[in-house]
Amino acid sequence: MENWSKDTNIDKYSLQSRVFDKIHEDILNGVYKENDVLREMTIASELGVSRTPVREALRQLELEGLVRIIPNKGASVIGISPKDLKDIYEMRARLEGMCARWAIRNKTEEDIARLEEISDLSEFHVQKGRYDKVLELDNEFHHYLYKMADSKMLYHTMTDFHHYLERIRKKTLSSQERVVKTIQEHRDIIDAIKSGDEDKAEECTKSHILNSMKNIEEHGLWG
């Protein structure tokens, strides 16, 4: 059992944040499923905290649409539905295309070198069958692209979307066939960014995300 309340380096607000992050993560990873009841006392006991940070975390999760709080009855999980995931993929395709377009305007030789290094490492780990490493590198590729866009608002939006899709992306990147295609699509994005072709970079990135969505649909991975 974790006991964060005894850590003197954690103040009241960071404690609430950690409790929120833990419950949020457990909902997205399927530890808590749709309609599961979230009992303040149980969660507080498991984390070794008082009920106050748990209560605040549940209120914040309600604002994000992940939890439903009914007066005098408590909180239950709403979670992320297949429709929510599809909506996120469609929005992400368009916004990430914008990221690639803006990345061209801020690119450096070091940026291109890092993107290419990530792709090379991805290929290496595919050959070794290390799909957990491939997922980590896929995350790094996309987050690096978000940073290159140099927009605080866009960065936070895209990282939030990416986080919501973490669980389903683990499923889709467990297939060697899709992983190989993903790496090639990453290289197409890099080539477009290198050439400075904003339209092509945007289109390649948008197609990459929509191809991932198509793969999920073809293999029935939404549920």
Side-chain angles (χ1 to χ4, degrees), residues 168 171 213-223:
I168 199 166
K171 294 180 182 179
M213 181 177 173
K214 183 180 178 181
N215 179 70
I216 292 168
E217 291 175 338
E218 288 177 349
H219 291 86
L221 299 176
W222 290 119

Side-chain angles (χ1 to χ4, degrees), residues 53 169 181 212:
R169 289 179 57 256
K181 290 180 180 178
S212 295

Side-chain angles (χ1 to χ4, degrees), residues 99-193:
C99 279
R101 178 179 288 274
W102 290 0
I104 287 176
R105 304 171 188 179
N106 302 295
K107 66 176 179 174
T108 65
E109 291 184 5
E110 289 77 13
D111 290 331
I112 300 300
R114 182 54 190 153
L115 291 176
E116 290 179 331
E117 182 182 25
I118 292 170
S119 291
D120 291 342
L121 286 170
S122 297
E123 286 189 352
F124 172 79
H125 287 298
V126 168
Q127 294 169 6
K128 299 294 183 181
R130 299 170 183 161
Y131 293 106
D132 56 333
K133 294 293 185 182
V134 176
L135 178 62
E136 289 177 13
L137 289 163
D138 183 77
N139 285 337
E140 185 174 353
F141 179 89
H142 289 280
H143 280 87
Y144 201 93
L145 200 62
Y146 306 157
K147 289 180 181 177
M148 286 176 66
D150 193 30
S151 167
K152 180 176 67 176
M153 302 308 296
L154 190 55
Y155 178 84
H156 286 301
T157 299
M158 297 311 300
T159 51
D160 282 348
F161 281 169
H162 211 71
H163 188 55
Y164 275 99
L165 298 173
E166 188 78 14
R167 187 182 179 199
I168 199 166
R169 289 179 57 256
K170 288 179 181 178
K171 294 180 182 179
T172 191
L173 288 176
S174 64
S175 160
Q176 183 175 11
E177 179 183 2
R178 178 55 202 157
V179 166
V180 170
K181 290 180 180 178
T182 291
I183 294 171
Q184 182 55 55
E185 289 165 8
H186 284 182
R187 291 201 181 279
D188 291 341
I189 294 168
I190 295 169
D191 288 343
I193 292 174

Side-chain angles (χ1 to χ4, degrees), residues 42-97:
T42 301
I43 296 172
S45 177
E46 289 174 350
L47 299 181
V49 300
S50 70
R51 294 175 64 177
T52 300
V54 176
R55 187 178 302 115
E56 292 302 318
L58 293 177
R59 287 173 180 165
Q60 190 174 349
L61 287 163
E62 183 180 35
L63 293 175
E64 291 206 5
L66 294 176
V67 164
R68 178 190 300 108
I69 298 177
I70 300 176
N72 303 317
K73 289 189 177 182
S76 61
V77 176
I78 296 176
I80 302 292
S81 70
K83 181 184 183 304
D84 294 331
L85 293 172
K86 292 176 185 178
D87 289 347
I88 291 172
Y89 263 101
E90 296 230 9
M91 290 186 288
R92 183 184 166 206
R94 285 153 180 76
L95 290 176
E96 196 149 335

